[in-house]
Amino acid sequence: MPLSVFSLMLVVFSFTTGEFVTAGILQEVAADLSVSVPAAGQLVTAYALGMIVGGPVVTTATARLARKPLIVGLVTVSVLGNVASALSPGYGTLLTARFVAGLVVATFFAVAITTAVSLAPDGKQASTVAKLTLGMNLGIILGTPIGTFVGQRLGWQATFATVAACTVLALALVLPSVPAQPATATGSVLGELRVFARRDLQLALALTVLGNIGVVTVFTFISPLLTEVSGFGAGALPVLLLVYGVGAFAGNFLGGWLADRALLPSLIGLLAVLAGVLVLFWLAGEVRALAAVLTFVLGVLAFAIIPGMQTRVLATAGSAPTLAIAVNASGFQIAAACAAWLGGRVIEGPGTRAIHLVAAATTLAGLGIAAYSLRRERNAPAGEPEPALGGSR
């Protein structure tokens, strides 16, 4: 892995750890600040809202800045947000600090992807995206447990301080390794925003949301699914989450490799298999051995679809790739928010076990969008230019 991509991946690792680690220290935060655990849970929501708002707003506002200074500025804001989190004297301040820390994440992720892809060899764009999203895998598998351990032993403030320190170390690698590049936007802000009138980009963004809601819903409620439905004890959950994480690690690279060869066909195949696995989990999830295997497979498929979805957005974004990827990152957060709502309604209605079946249905909706996008591409007039990246041949 080139040092430039590795350094950007480490920043993604730090950002992902900062996003997910809050869930591991909710009880410590709640007890120390004298708030309820559900109120402490709003810190996760604040970070996600920062990403949703910051995606289009921050990216549009910074579109004319050279890439390297922009990366440094975005990472600095995140560091300050985490330092402010560690020093927060009360709940309101902490809530604001988490929003600020999340505000720049979508833009950074977009700039990192477009920068890394611009340096990638021809035909390796999706696998380069996979190398960056490896930071997400490691943030979930390693960063979150380590940050939780630190918070439980040294206090929740130490967790955010550690995230800030890791981000600074990653930035120290970015400075000498990432080459200087000019701004990607050269036209007006209105011209940048016009890219969202493109039907293929609209479909790509919808694919991200609908294709992810199902599997994110399952992950959000994985604890009750594995304990109440599959019959595992609470002590088995850390091991099963590690199994899921190992699957995610493998799936990330599998998805990049497949997308480099046939972008939309590979996404269609992966979403079809994912829907089938979710139905199988619904039918036979009470068999613990099978549930353990399917947990690994879900990890593989959940992350195998991400590189292709990111690359598809790049392929349809025309002259505004950074803005499109930032909005796509916001789309992932919208999927997460919808997943929390959807899973809660299912649990209150048909019950926890039905989550897998509902997740399969939403995955099939994403599959339908991918299939329609492929049909549009194949039926495009012969003289129409092909997407710049990752088109299905």
Side-chain angles (χ1 to χ4, degrees), residues 20-359:
F20 287 96
V21 76
T22 306
I25 55 173
L26 286 184
Q27 291 174 310
E28 286 75 16
V29 172
D32 191 48
L33 299 182
S34 301
V35 298
S36 67
V37 171
Q42 294 304 308
L43 297 170
V44 179
T45 304
Y47 195 96
L49 284 175
M51 288 187 66
I52 292 171
V53 172
V57 174
V58 175
T59 306
T60 302
T62 60
R64 279 152 197 78
L65 297 179
R67 302 295 86 182
K68 192 168 183 177
L70 176 56
I71 289 172
V72 173
L74 295 171
V75 175
T76 300
V77 171
S78 175
V79 170
L80 292 174
N82 282 299
V83 170
S85 298
L87 298 176
S88 292
Y91 175 72
T93 310
L94 182 56
L95 202 65
T96 302
R98 296 319 296 154
F99 176 82
V100 170
L103 199 60
V104 297
V105 174
T107 302
F108 170 82
F109 196 52
V111 174
I113 286 179
T114 53
T115 299
V117 166
S118 71
L119 302 172
D122 230 12
K124 297 292 184 182
Q125 288 89 355
S127 53
T128 299
V129 172
K131 290 172 183 175
L132 276 181
T133 53
L134 173 61
M136 295 172 58
N137 301 146
L138 295 177
I140 295 170
I141 299 170
L142 295 178
T144 298
I146 292 172
T148 301
F149 178 82
V150 169
Q152 290 172 344
R153 297 299 185 276
L154 302 177
W156 60 267
Q157 297 92 338
T159 296
F160 294 123
T162 302
V163 171
C166 289
T167 309
V168 170
L169 290 175
L171 180 58
L173 285 178
V174 168
L175 291 173
S177 64
V178 174
Q181 290 184 326
T184 56
T186 56
S188 66
V189 172
L190 183 60
E192 286 270 301
L193 294 175
R194 282 199 186 107
V195 71
F196 294 106
R198 296 170 64 123
R199 178 57 60 85
D200 285 337
L201 178 57
Q202 294 170 359
L203 290 169
L205 294 171
L207 173 59
T208 291
V209 176
L210 289 177
N212 280 282
I213 285 177
V215 73
V216 173
T217 302
V218 170
F219 184 76
T220 302
F221 295 94
I222 196 168
S223 176
L225 283 168
L226 291 174
T227 55
E228 297 174 17
V229 177
S230 299
F232 288 101
L237 285 178
V239 176
L240 290 168
L241 286 173
L242 179 61
V243 167
Y244 183 96
V246 172
F249 183 88
N252 186 56
F253 287 102
L254 173 65
W257 182 82
L258 289 172
D260 276 337
R261 280 146 186 80
L263 179 51
L264 283 173
S266 70
L267 278 173
I268 291 169
L270 288 169
L271 288 167
V273 174
L274 175 57
V277 168
L278 288 166
V279 171
L280 180 59
F281 221 140
W282 171 66
L283 290 172
E286 294 175 350
V287 181
R288 279 189 285 181
L290 181 59
V293 173
L294 291 177
T295 298
F296 171 81
V297 176
L298 281 179
V300 172
L301 294 170
F303 278 80
I305 61 178
I306 292 176
M309 288 178 175
Q310 297 281 18
T311 307
R312 180 61 184 171
V313 170
L314 277 174
T316 57
S319 61
T322 305
L323 179 59
I325 286 291
V327 172
N328 196 48
S330 297
F332 279 107
Q333 296 302 314
I334 292 171
C338 292
W341 176 85
L342 178 63
R345 301 293 79 74
V346 173
I347 290 173
E348 291 173 357
T352 304
R353 181 175 178 177
I355 286 178
H356 285 124
L357 189 59
V358 174

Side-chain angles (χ1 to χ4, degrees), residues 1-10 116 119 128 131-132 177:
M1 184 187 300
L3 182 58
S4 57
V5 176
F6 177 75
S7 63
L8 293 171
M9 183 269 289
L10 285 182
L119 302 172
T128 299
K131 290 172 183 175
L132 276 181
S177 64

